[in-house]
Amino acid sequence: MPNVPATQLKPFTTLWGRPADVVEEPLMTHPSDTGPAPVLALKDISKSFGAVRALRDVSLELFPGEVHALAGENGAGKSTLIKTLAGVHRPDAGQVLLDGESTVFHGPADARDAGIAVIYQEPTLFPDLSIAENIFMGRQPRRALGRIDHKATHAATLALMQRLGVELDPDRPARGLSIADQQIVEIAKALSFDARVLIMDEPTAALTGSEVARLFGVVRTLRDQGSAVLFISHRLEEIFQICERVTTLRDGAWIASEPLDGMTEDDLVRRMVGRDLDELYPKQDVRAGEVALSVRRLTREGVFTDVSFEVRRGEIVGLAGLVGAGRTEVARAVFGVDRWDGGEVEVDGRTLTNGAPSTAMAAGLALVPEDRRAQGLVMDMSIERNIGLTGLRSTVRAGLMDRGAERSRSLDWAVKLQVKYARIADTVSTLSGGNQQKVVLAKWLATGPKVLIVDEPTRGIDVGTKAEVHRLLSELAADGVAVLMISSDLPEILGMADRVLVMHEGRLTAEIPRSEATEETVMAAATGRAA
Protein backbone atom coordinates (compact mmCIF):
# COMPACT_ATOMS: atom_id res chain seq x y z
CA MET A 1 0.00 0.00 0.00
CA PRO A 2 1.47 3.43 -0.89
CA ASN A 3 2.61 5.75 1.86
CA VAL A 4 -0.20 8.03 3.03
CA PRO A 5 0.21 11.27 5.01
CA ALA A 6 -0.49 10.71 8.69
CA THR A 7 -3.05 13.50 8.77
CA GLN A 8 -5.31 15.15 6.27
CA LEU A 9 -8.03 17.77 6.53
CA LYS A 10 -11.32 16.08 5.87
CA PRO A 11 -14.88 17.05 6.83
CA PHE A 12 -16.87 14.79 9.10
CA THR A 13 -20.50 14.10 8.36
CA THR A 14 -22.61 12.75 11.15
CA LEU A 15 -24.57 9.53 11.18
CA TRP A 16 -27.74 11.57 10.78
CA GLY A 17 -26.44 13.61 7.84
CA ARG A 18 -25.73 16.84 9.75
CA PRO A 19 -22.39 18.45 8.86
CA ALA A 20 -19.81 18.71 11.62
CA ASP A 21 -16.77 20.91 12.00
CA VAL A 22 -13.77 20.21 9.83
CA VAL A 23 -11.25 18.30 11.92
CA GLU A 24 -7.77 16.99 11.47
CA GLU A 25 -8.39 13.29 10.96
CA PRO A 26 -5.66 10.63 11.14
CA LEU A 27 -5.59 8.24 8.20
CA MET A 28 -3.76 4.95 7.60
CA THR A 29 -0.60 4.51 9.65
CA HIS A 30 1.68 1.49 9.89
CA PRO A 31 3.64 0.06 12.83
CA SER A 32 6.89 0.83 10.98
CA ASP A 33 8.15 1.04 7.44
CA THR A 34 10.66 -1.73 8.11
CA GLY A 35 8.40 -3.96 10.20
CA PRO A 36 6.71 -7.21 9.19
CA ALA A 37 4.32 -7.34 6.27
CA PRO A 38 0.63 -7.77 7.09
CA VAL A 39 -0.60 -11.36 7.32
CA LEU A 40 -3.99 -10.37 6.00
CA ALA A 41 -5.17 -7.15 4.38
CA LEU A 42 -8.21 -5.68 2.69
CA LYS A 43 -7.64 -3.04 0.02
CA ASP A 44 -10.46 -0.78 -1.18
CA ILE A 45 -13.16 -3.39 -0.46
CA SER A 46 -16.75 -2.61 -1.41
CA LYS A 47 -19.81 -4.77 -0.85
CA SER A 48 -23.49 -4.11 -1.56
CA PHE A 49 -26.68 -5.99 -0.79
CA GLY A 50 -29.23 -4.75 -3.30
CA ALA A 51 -29.42 -0.98 -2.93
CA VAL A 52 -27.64 -1.02 0.44
CA ARG A 53 -23.89 -0.35 0.29
CA ALA A 54 -22.56 -2.17 3.35
CA LEU A 55 -18.86 -1.41 2.67
CA ARG A 56 -17.33 1.38 0.60
CA ASP A 57 -13.62 1.38 -0.23
CA VAL A 58 -12.59 -0.13 3.11
CA SER A 59 -8.95 -0.97 3.80
CA LEU A 60 -7.50 -2.89 6.74
CA GLU A 61 -4.14 -4.44 7.61
CA LEU A 62 -3.55 -7.12 10.25
CA PHE A 63 0.04 -7.64 11.37
CA PRO A 64 1.54 -10.63 13.19
CA GLY A 65 2.04 -10.09 16.91
CA GLU A 66 -0.57 -7.32 17.12
CA VAL A 67 -4.07 -6.91 18.54
CA HIS A 68 -6.02 -4.63 16.19
CA ALA A 69 -9.40 -3.15 17.14
CA LEU A 70 -12.32 -2.69 14.75
CA ALA A 71 -14.60 0.11 15.96
CA GLY A 72 -17.86 1.54 14.69
CA GLU A 73 -21.52 1.89 15.54
CA ASN A 74 -24.10 -0.78 14.80
CA GLY A 75 -24.66 -0.69 11.07
CA ALA A 76 -21.19 0.69 10.36
CA GLY A 77 -20.22 -2.41 8.38
CA LYS A 78 -18.24 -4.39 10.96
CA SER A 79 -20.20 -7.63 10.51
CA THR A 80 -19.91 -7.45 6.71
CA LEU A 81 -16.17 -6.86 6.99
CA ILE A 82 -15.78 -9.84 9.34
CA LYS A 83 -17.74 -12.08 6.99
CA THR A 84 -15.60 -10.91 4.08
CA LEU A 85 -12.44 -11.87 5.96
CA ALA A 86 -14.03 -15.20 6.94
CA GLY A 87 -15.01 -16.09 3.36
CA VAL A 88 -18.75 -15.82 3.93
CA HIS A 89 -19.07 -12.83 1.57
CA ARG A 90 -17.12 -12.14 -1.61
CA PRO A 91 -16.44 -8.44 -2.19
CA ASP A 92 -17.89 -6.65 -5.21
CA ALA A 93 -14.69 -4.64 -5.63
CA GLY A 94 -11.25 -4.46 -4.07
CA GLN A 95 -8.73 -7.09 -3.03
CA VAL A 96 -8.16 -9.52 -0.18
CA LEU A 97 -4.41 -9.94 0.32
CA LEU A 98 -2.92 -12.95 2.11
CA ASP A 99 0.81 -12.58 2.81
CA GLY A 100 0.84 -9.81 0.21
CA GLU A 101 -0.75 -11.95 -2.53
CA SER A 102 -4.22 -11.31 -3.90
CA THR A 103 -6.57 -14.17 -3.03
CA VAL A 104 -10.24 -15.11 -3.31
CA PHE A 105 -12.04 -17.08 -0.61
CA HIS A 106 -14.77 -19.23 -2.14
CA GLY A 107 -16.23 -20.03 1.26
CA PRO A 108 -15.49 -20.24 5.00
CA ALA A 109 -13.51 -23.46 4.47
CA ASP A 110 -11.10 -21.59 2.18
CA ALA A 111 -10.57 -18.90 4.80
CA ARG A 112 -10.10 -21.49 7.54
CA ASP A 113 -7.54 -23.37 5.45
CA ALA A 114 -5.72 -20.07 4.95
CA GLY A 115 -5.39 -19.73 8.72
CA ILE A 116 -8.29 -17.34 9.46
CA ALA A 117 -10.63 -18.13 12.35
CA VAL A 118 -13.62 -16.24 13.79
CA ILE A 119 -14.52 -16.49 17.48
CA TYR A 120 -18.13 -15.36 17.82
CA GLN A 121 -19.87 -13.90 20.87
CA GLU A 122 -21.99 -17.03 21.27
CA PRO A 123 -19.93 -20.23 20.81
CA THR A 124 -21.52 -23.20 19.04
CA LEU A 125 -20.27 -26.37 20.66
CA PHE A 126 -21.82 -29.85 20.76
CA PRO A 127 -22.98 -29.98 24.41
CA ASP A 128 -22.86 -33.76 24.78
CA LEU A 129 -19.32 -34.13 23.44
CA SER A 130 -16.15 -33.56 25.42
CA ILE A 131 -13.88 -30.55 24.97
CA ALA A 132 -11.38 -32.69 23.05
CA GLU A 133 -14.09 -34.12 20.78
CA ASN A 134 -15.42 -30.62 20.02
CA ILE A 135 -11.95 -29.36 19.09
CA PHE A 136 -11.10 -32.28 16.78
CA MET A 137 -14.60 -33.09 15.51
CA GLY A 138 -14.30 -35.00 12.21
CA ARG A 139 -10.48 -35.10 12.22
CA GLN A 140 -9.52 -37.04 15.33
CA PRO A 141 -6.16 -38.86 15.30
CA ARG A 142 -6.61 -42.45 14.15
CA ARG A 143 -5.06 -45.75 15.10
CA ALA A 144 -4.85 -48.95 13.11
CA LEU A 145 -8.06 -49.96 11.34
CA GLY A 146 -9.28 -46.35 11.47
CA ARG A 147 -10.23 -46.35 15.15
CA ILE A 148 -10.10 -43.00 16.97
CA ASP A 149 -6.99 -42.55 19.08
CA HIS A 150 -8.56 -41.03 22.21
CA LYS A 151 -5.22 -40.84 24.00
CA ALA A 152 -3.67 -38.80 21.19
CA THR A 153 -6.75 -36.55 21.02
CA HIS A 154 -6.52 -35.95 24.76
CA ALA A 155 -2.80 -35.17 24.55
CA ALA A 156 -3.25 -32.77 21.62
CA THR A 157 -6.04 -30.92 23.46
CA LEU A 158 -3.92 -30.71 26.61
CA ALA A 159 -1.07 -29.21 24.57
CA LEU A 160 -3.43 -26.57 23.14
CA MET A 161 -4.67 -25.63 26.62
CA GLN A 162 -1.09 -25.37 27.87
CA ARG A 163 -0.26 -23.14 24.92
CA LEU A 164 -3.13 -20.87 25.89
CA GLY A 165 -2.13 -20.95 29.55
CA VAL A 166 -5.48 -22.27 30.83
CA GLU A 167 -6.50 -25.38 32.74
CA LEU A 168 -9.45 -27.22 31.23
CA ASP A 169 -9.93 -30.98 31.37
CA PRO A 170 -10.03 -32.29 27.75
CA ASP A 171 -12.49 -35.01 28.80
CA ARG A 172 -14.98 -32.63 30.39
CA PRO A 173 -18.33 -32.41 28.53
CA ALA A 174 -19.08 -29.08 26.86
CA ARG A 175 -22.48 -28.99 28.53
CA GLY A 176 -22.26 -26.84 31.63
CA LEU A 177 -19.18 -24.88 30.52
CA SER A 178 -19.39 -21.15 31.10
CA ILE A 179 -19.46 -18.85 28.06
CA ALA A 180 -15.87 -17.90 28.90
CA ASP A 181 -14.72 -21.54 28.87
CA GLN A 182 -16.64 -22.19 25.65
CA GLN A 183 -14.78 -19.33 24.01
CA ILE A 184 -11.46 -20.80 25.15
CA VAL A 185 -12.49 -24.08 23.50
CA GLU A 186 -13.32 -22.20 20.28
CA ILE A 187 -9.90 -20.49 20.37
CA ALA A 188 -8.20 -23.84 20.93
CA LYS A 189 -10.15 -25.26 17.98
CA ALA A 190 -8.92 -22.38 15.81
CA LEU A 191 -5.31 -23.03 16.86
CA SER A 192 -5.73 -26.70 16.01
CA PHE A 193 -6.27 -25.53 12.41
CA ASP A 194 -3.00 -23.56 12.62
CA ALA A 195 -4.88 -20.26 12.54
CA ARG A 196 -2.63 -17.24 12.15
CA VAL A 197 -5.44 -14.67 12.24
CA LEU A 198 -8.08 -14.70 14.99
CA ILE A 199 -11.13 -12.48 14.67
CA MET A 200 -12.89 -12.00 18.02
CA ASP A 201 -16.41 -10.61 17.62
CA GLU A 202 -17.73 -9.11 20.89
CA PRO A 203 -16.09 -11.89 22.94
CA THR A 204 -16.61 -10.17 26.32
CA ALA A 205 -20.30 -9.24 26.04
CA ALA A 206 -21.46 -12.03 28.35
CA LEU A 207 -18.37 -12.33 30.57
CA THR A 208 -17.72 -11.25 34.15
CA GLY A 209 -14.75 -9.09 35.08
CA SER A 210 -12.56 -12.02 36.09
CA GLU A 211 -13.47 -13.93 32.92
CA VAL A 212 -12.57 -10.90 30.79
CA ALA A 213 -9.19 -10.70 32.55
CA ARG A 214 -8.50 -14.36 31.79
CA LEU A 215 -9.56 -13.96 28.15
CA PHE A 216 -7.25 -10.96 27.79
CA GLY A 217 -4.42 -13.08 29.20
CA VAL A 218 -5.08 -15.63 26.45
CA VAL A 219 -5.20 -12.89 23.79
CA ARG A 220 -1.84 -11.51 24.96
CA THR A 221 -0.38 -15.01 24.84
CA LEU A 222 -1.56 -15.41 21.24
CA ARG A 223 -0.15 -12.00 20.35
CA ASP A 224 3.22 -12.84 21.88
CA GLN A 225 3.27 -16.10 19.89
CA GLY A 226 2.92 -14.12 16.66
CA SER A 227 -0.81 -14.33 15.92
CA ALA A 228 -2.69 -11.41 14.40
CA VAL A 229 -5.85 -10.66 16.38
CA LEU A 230 -8.77 -8.52 15.22
CA PHE A 231 -10.79 -7.49 18.28
CA ILE A 232 -14.33 -6.09 18.05
CA SER A 233 -16.03 -4.62 21.13
CA HIS A 234 -18.48 -1.86 22.02
CA ARG A 235 -16.65 -1.43 25.33
CA LEU A 236 -14.16 1.30 24.55
CA GLU A 237 -12.17 0.74 27.74
CA GLU A 238 -11.44 -2.82 26.56
CA ILE A 239 -10.16 -1.57 23.20
CA PHE A 240 -7.69 0.72 24.94
CA GLN A 241 -6.72 -2.03 27.37
CA ILE A 242 -5.88 -4.82 24.93
CA CYS A 243 -5.29 -3.30 21.46
CA GLU A 244 -2.38 -1.48 19.83
CA ARG A 245 -4.13 -0.04 16.75
CA VAL A 246 -7.70 0.65 15.71
CA THR A 247 -9.57 0.85 12.42
CA THR A 248 -12.80 2.85 12.53
CA LEU A 249 -15.77 2.43 10.19
CA ARG A 250 -18.73 4.77 9.82
CA ASP A 251 -21.74 4.15 7.55
CA GLY A 252 -19.81 1.43 5.72
CA ALA A 253 -16.86 3.72 4.96
CA TRP A 254 -13.30 3.51 6.24
CA ILE A 255 -12.49 6.49 8.49
CA ALA A 256 -9.04 5.81 9.95
CA SER A 257 -6.46 3.18 10.90
CA GLU A 258 -4.15 4.51 13.59
CA PRO A 259 -2.26 3.70 16.80
CA LEU A 260 -4.22 3.93 20.06
CA ASP A 261 -1.22 5.38 21.85
CA GLY A 262 -2.01 9.01 22.57
CA MET A 263 -5.69 8.70 21.60
CA THR A 264 -8.55 9.22 24.07
CA GLU A 265 -11.97 7.58 24.23
CA ASP A 266 -13.49 10.92 23.16
CA ASP A 267 -11.26 10.90 20.06
CA LEU A 268 -12.43 7.40 19.14
CA VAL A 269 -16.09 8.25 19.73
CA ARG A 270 -15.72 11.28 17.44
CA ARG A 271 -14.34 9.03 14.70
CA MET A 272 -17.21 6.55 15.16
CA VAL A 273 -20.17 8.93 15.18
CA GLY A 274 -18.73 11.90 13.31
CA ARG A 275 -19.28 14.34 16.15
CA ASP A 276 -18.36 14.90 19.79
CA LEU A 277 -20.65 12.93 22.05
CA ASP A 278 -21.02 15.54 24.77
CA GLU A 279 -23.70 13.78 26.77
CA LEU A 280 -23.61 10.03 27.00
CA TYR A 281 -25.74 10.26 30.14
CA PRO A 282 -28.25 13.10 29.51
CA LYS A 283 -30.00 12.84 32.88
CA GLN A 284 -32.67 15.46 33.51
CA ASP A 285 -33.36 16.71 37.02
CA VAL A 286 -36.92 15.70 37.83
CA ARG A 287 -38.77 16.03 41.09
CA ALA A 288 -40.01 12.60 42.15
CA GLY A 289 -43.75 12.18 42.52
CA GLU A 290 -45.90 9.62 44.30
CA VAL A 291 -44.95 5.94 44.58
CA ALA A 292 -45.65 4.05 41.35
CA LEU A 293 -44.05 0.68 42.14
CA SER A 294 -43.92 -0.83 45.61
CA VAL A 295 -42.18 -4.14 46.31
CA ARG A 296 -42.48 -5.47 49.86
CA ARG A 297 -40.56 -8.41 51.35
CA LEU A 298 -40.47 -10.26 48.03
CA THR A 299 -38.93 -13.73 48.38
CA ARG A 300 -38.28 -16.60 46.02
CA GLU A 301 -36.62 -19.45 47.85
CA GLY A 302 -33.06 -20.13 46.77
CA VAL A 303 -32.98 -17.08 44.48
CA PHE A 304 -33.64 -13.88 46.46
CA THR A 305 -34.88 -13.05 49.95
CA ASP A 306 -36.80 -10.20 51.62
CA VAL A 307 -36.45 -7.66 48.81
CA SER A 308 -38.24 -4.36 49.46
CA PHE A 309 -38.05 -1.08 47.54
CA GLU A 310 -40.11 1.69 45.94
CA VAL A 311 -39.86 3.57 42.66
CA ARG A 312 -41.59 6.95 42.34
CA ARG A 313 -42.94 8.72 39.29
CA GLY A 314 -40.18 10.66 37.55
CA GLU A 315 -37.43 8.59 39.12
CA ILE A 316 -34.81 6.41 37.49
CA VAL A 317 -33.75 3.87 40.09
CA GLY A 318 -30.68 1.79 39.29
CA LEU A 319 -30.48 -1.83 40.38
CA ALA A 320 -26.83 -2.88 40.55
CA GLY A 321 -24.93 -5.99 41.61
CA LEU A 322 -22.59 -8.66 40.37
CA VAL A 323 -23.66 -11.41 37.97
CA GLY A 324 -25.78 -13.91 39.91
CA ALA A 325 -26.86 -11.41 42.57
CA GLY A 326 -30.54 -11.92 41.65
CA ARG A 327 -31.33 -8.63 39.88
CA THR A 328 -32.93 -10.13 36.75
CA GLU A 329 -34.78 -12.70 38.84
CA VAL A 330 -36.36 -9.94 40.93
CA ALA A 331 -37.49 -8.11 37.79
CA ARG A 332 -39.01 -11.29 36.33
CA ALA A 333 -40.89 -11.96 39.57
CA VAL A 334 -42.18 -8.38 39.81
CA PHE A 335 -43.53 -8.60 36.26
CA GLY A 336 -45.05 -12.03 36.92
CA VAL A 337 -42.87 -14.16 34.61
CA ASP A 338 -41.70 -16.16 37.65
CA ARG A 339 -43.78 -16.85 40.74
CA TRP A 340 -42.60 -15.68 44.13
CA ASP A 341 -42.97 -17.53 47.45
CA GLY A 342 -43.71 -14.54 49.63
CA GLY A 343 -44.21 -10.80 49.56
CA GLU A 344 -46.31 -8.30 47.65
CA VAL A 345 -46.03 -6.08 44.55
CA GLU A 346 -48.16 -2.99 43.91
CA VAL A 347 -48.34 -0.76 40.84
CA ASP A 348 -50.03 2.60 41.44
CA GLY A 349 -51.70 1.13 44.54
CA ARG A 350 -53.01 -1.95 42.70
CA THR A 351 -51.82 -5.29 44.08
CA LEU A 352 -50.53 -7.59 41.37
CA THR A 353 -51.44 -11.26 41.07
CA ASN A 354 -48.53 -13.63 41.66
CA GLY A 355 -47.22 -15.08 38.39
CA ALA A 356 -49.57 -13.17 36.07
CA PRO A 357 -47.84 -10.90 33.50
CA SER A 358 -51.24 -9.97 32.01
CA THR A 359 -52.27 -8.45 35.34
CA ALA A 360 -48.99 -6.55 35.52
CA MET A 361 -49.48 -5.16 32.01
CA ALA A 362 -53.06 -4.15 32.77
CA ALA A 363 -51.81 -2.27 35.85
CA GLY A 364 -49.31 -0.32 33.75
CA LEU A 365 -46.09 -2.31 34.18
CA ALA A 366 -43.70 -2.98 31.26
CA LEU A 367 -40.54 -5.12 31.16
CA VAL A 368 -37.74 -4.82 28.59
CA PRO A 369 -35.86 -8.12 29.16
CA GLU A 370 -32.11 -8.68 29.24
CA ASP A 371 -32.04 -11.05 26.24
CA ARG A 372 -33.81 -9.06 23.53
CA ARG A 373 -33.45 -11.75 20.86
CA ALA A 374 -34.77 -14.68 22.89
CA GLN A 375 -37.24 -12.92 25.20
CA GLY A 376 -38.02 -9.51 23.73
CA LEU A 377 -38.57 -10.16 20.02
CA VAL A 378 -39.98 -12.72 17.60
CA MET A 379 -37.06 -12.70 15.20
CA ASP A 380 -38.95 -14.12 12.20
CA MET A 381 -41.75 -11.55 12.48
CA SER A 382 -41.74 -8.11 10.90
CA ILE A 383 -40.74 -4.91 12.65
CA GLU A 384 -44.32 -3.65 12.61
CA ARG A 385 -45.73 -6.90 14.02
CA ASN A 386 -43.15 -6.96 16.85
CA ILE A 387 -44.01 -3.39 17.85
CA GLY A 388 -47.71 -4.21 17.60
CA LEU A 389 -47.66 -7.37 19.74
CA THR A 390 -48.49 -5.54 22.98
CA GLY A 391 -51.40 -3.68 21.40
CA LEU A 392 -53.25 -6.43 19.56
CA ARG A 393 -56.52 -5.73 21.37
CA SER A 394 -56.48 -2.08 20.39
CA THR A 395 -56.07 -2.92 16.69
CA VAL A 396 -58.85 -5.54 16.48
CA ARG A 397 -62.07 -4.46 14.72
CA ALA A 398 -65.10 -6.80 14.80
CA GLY A 399 -62.84 -9.71 15.67
CA LEU A 400 -60.44 -9.05 12.80
CA MET A 401 -56.99 -7.48 12.84
CA ASP A 402 -56.94 -3.95 11.44
CA ARG A 403 -53.61 -4.10 9.60
CA GLY A 404 -53.76 -0.42 8.74
CA ALA A 405 -54.13 0.55 12.40
CA GLU A 406 -51.31 -1.80 13.37
CA ARG A 407 -48.98 -0.34 10.73
CA SER A 408 -49.83 3.24 11.66
CA ARG A 409 -49.20 2.56 15.35
CA SER A 410 -45.91 0.79 14.63
CA LEU A 411 -44.71 3.51 12.24
CA ASP A 412 -45.44 6.20 14.84
CA TRP A 413 -43.26 4.49 17.44
CA ALA A 414 -40.52 3.58 14.98
CA VAL A 415 -40.26 7.27 14.05
CA LYS A 416 -40.35 8.42 17.68
CA LEU A 417 -37.46 6.09 18.60
CA GLN A 418 -35.54 6.76 15.36
CA VAL A 419 -35.42 3.07 14.36
CA LYS A 420 -33.34 2.68 11.20
CA TYR A 421 -34.76 0.15 8.75
CA ALA A 422 -35.37 -0.31 5.03
CA ARG A 423 -39.06 -1.28 5.26
CA ILE A 424 -41.33 -1.58 8.30
CA ALA A 425 -42.44 -4.97 6.88
CA ASP A 426 -38.87 -6.38 7.01
CA THR A 427 -38.17 -9.04 9.62
CA VAL A 428 -36.71 -7.66 12.84
CA SER A 429 -33.72 -10.01 12.39
CA THR A 430 -32.46 -7.70 9.61
CA LEU A 431 -31.87 -4.86 12.08
CA SER A 432 -28.69 -4.07 13.96
CA GLY A 433 -28.57 -4.83 17.69
CA GLY A 434 -29.20 -1.23 18.67
CA ASN A 435 -32.24 -0.95 16.42
CA GLN A 436 -33.59 -4.27 17.71
CA GLN A 437 -33.36 -2.80 21.22
CA LYS A 438 -35.31 0.23 20.06
CA VAL A 439 -38.04 -2.06 18.69
CA VAL A 440 -38.33 -3.78 22.07
CA LEU A 441 -38.60 -0.39 23.75
CA ALA A 442 -41.18 0.75 21.19
CA LYS A 443 -43.25 -2.37 21.80
CA TRP A 444 -43.55 -1.63 25.50
CA LEU A 445 -43.74 2.16 25.34
CA ALA A 446 -46.74 1.76 23.03
CA THR A 447 -48.64 0.40 26.06
CA GLY A 448 -48.28 3.75 27.87
CA PRO A 449 -46.66 2.22 30.99
CA LYS A 450 -46.66 3.82 34.43
CA VAL A 451 -43.62 1.75 35.42
CA LEU A 452 -40.89 0.65 33.01
CA ILE A 453 -38.36 -2.01 34.01
CA VAL A 454 -35.34 -2.15 31.67
CA ASP A 455 -32.85 -4.98 32.13
CA GLU A 456 -29.40 -4.23 30.60
CA PRO A 457 -30.91 -1.65 28.20
CA THR A 458 -27.65 -0.89 26.36
CA ARG A 459 -25.82 -4.23 26.38
CA GLY A 460 -24.24 -4.96 23.00
CA ILE A 461 -25.18 -1.67 21.35
CA ASP A 462 -22.87 1.04 20.11
CA VAL A 463 -22.00 4.24 21.91
CA GLY A 464 -24.16 6.50 19.72
CA THR A 465 -27.30 4.37 20.17
CA LYS A 466 -26.47 4.05 23.86
CA ALA A 467 -26.73 7.83 24.20
CA GLU A 468 -30.09 7.76 22.40
CA VAL A 469 -31.45 5.10 24.78
CA HIS A 470 -30.26 7.12 27.77
CA ARG A 471 -31.93 10.23 26.37
CA LEU A 472 -35.16 8.30 25.90
CA LEU A 473 -35.15 6.96 29.48
CA SER A 474 -34.49 10.46 30.81
CA GLU A 475 -37.39 11.88 28.79
CA LEU A 476 -39.71 9.12 30.00
CA ALA A 477 -38.84 9.93 33.60
CA ALA A 478 -39.45 13.63 32.91
CA ASP A 479 -42.92 12.66 31.61
CA GLY A 480 -43.70 10.95 34.93
CA VAL A 481 -42.83 7.32 34.16
CA ALA A 482 -41.16 5.41 37.00
CA VAL A 483 -38.07 3.64 35.63
CA LEU A 484 -36.24 0.71 37.23
CA MET A 485 -32.97 0.21 35.35
CA ILE A 486 -30.89 -2.94 35.84
CA SER A 487 -27.35 -2.64 34.53
CA SER A 488 -23.91 -4.21 34.93
CA ASP A 489 -22.36 -1.03 33.50
CA LEU A 490 -21.40 1.01 36.58
CA PRO A 491 -20.86 4.30 34.69
CA GLU A 492 -24.37 3.87 33.27
CA ILE A 493 -25.85 3.33 36.74
CA LEU A 494 -23.96 6.32 38.17
CA GLY A 495 -24.77 8.54 35.19
CA MET A 496 -28.50 7.83 34.97
CA ALA A 497 -29.87 6.80 38.38
CA ASP A 498 -31.46 9.08 41.00
CA ARG A 499 -30.95 6.29 43.54
CA VAL A 500 -28.95 3.07 43.37
CA LEU A 501 -30.20 -0.18 44.89
CA VAL A 502 -27.47 -2.79 45.26
CA MET A 503 -27.95 -6.57 45.53
CA HIS A 504 -25.56 -9.18 46.85
CA GLU A 505 -26.33 -12.91 46.85
CA GLY A 506 -30.09 -12.44 46.59
CA ARG A 507 -30.45 -9.62 49.13
CA LEU A 508 -30.60 -5.84 48.91
CA THR A 509 -27.50 -4.62 50.71
CA ALA A 510 -27.65 -0.85 50.09
CA GLU A 511 -29.73 2.07 48.88
CA ILE A 512 -27.43 4.91 47.80
CA PRO A 513 -28.59 8.40 46.78
CA ARG A 514 -27.16 9.87 43.58
CA SER A 515 -25.01 12.36 45.50
CA GLU A 516 -23.21 9.56 47.37
CA ALA A 517 -23.05 6.93 44.62
CA THR A 518 -19.53 6.17 43.42
CA GLU A 519 -17.95 3.07 41.90
CA GLU A 520 -16.36 2.37 45.30
CA THR A 521 -19.59 2.60 47.33
CA VAL A 522 -21.58 0.52 44.82
CA MET A 523 -18.90 -2.18 44.52
CA ALA A 524 -18.51 -2.35 48.29
CA ALA A 525 -22.22 -3.14 48.61
CA ALA A 526 -22.19 -5.49 45.60
CA THR A 527 -19.42 -7.59 47.15
CA GLY A 528 -21.04 -7.68 50.60
CA ARG A 529 -18.53 -5.35 52.25
CA ALA A 530 -21.12 -2.70 53.15
CA ALA A 531 -24.30 -3.13 55.14
Side-chain angles (χ1 to χ4, degrees), residues 496-518:
M496 293 299 296
D498 295 292
R499 287 183 292 126
V500 182
L501 306 173
V502 189
M503 291 191 69
H504 170 66
E505 294 183 351
R507 291 181 179 272
L508 276 178
T509 55
E511 179 178 328
I512 308 172
R514 182 180 179 85
S515 60
E516 299 174 15
T518 64

Side-chain angles (χ1 to χ4, degrees), residues 392-445:
L392 291 177
R393 291 182 179 178
S394 65
T395 54
V396 170
R397 303 287 184 270
L400 298 174
M401 173 68 70
D402 186 337
R403 296 300 303 275
E406 180 188 45
R407 171 159 293 199
S408 176
R409 180 174 183 265
S410 298
L411 278 170
D412 284 346
W413 280 102
V415 170
K416 286 179 183 177
L417 270 64
Q418 300 175 25
V419 181
K420 293 165 190 166
Y421 56 87
R423 297 181 307 138
I424 195 76
D426 290 343
T427 60
V428 76
S429 60
T430 63
L431 300 180
S432 65
N435 284 299
Q436 288 177 4
Q437 185 72 335
K438 289 181 182 180
V439 171
V440 181
L441 283 165
K443 178 178 77 172
W444 286 109
L445 294 181

Side-chain angles (χ1 to χ4, degrees), residues 42-48 53 55-58 84 90-96:
L42 299 178
K43 184 177 180 181
D44 300 328
I45 291 291
S46 294
K47 178 66 179 177
S48 297
R53 295 191 67 186
L55 295 175
R56 292 177 287 136
D57 301 322
V58 172
T84 300
R90 291 183 62 178
D92 300 328
Q95 289 180 297
V96 178

Side-chain angles (χ1 to χ4, degrees), residues 13 35 347:
T13 54
V347 173

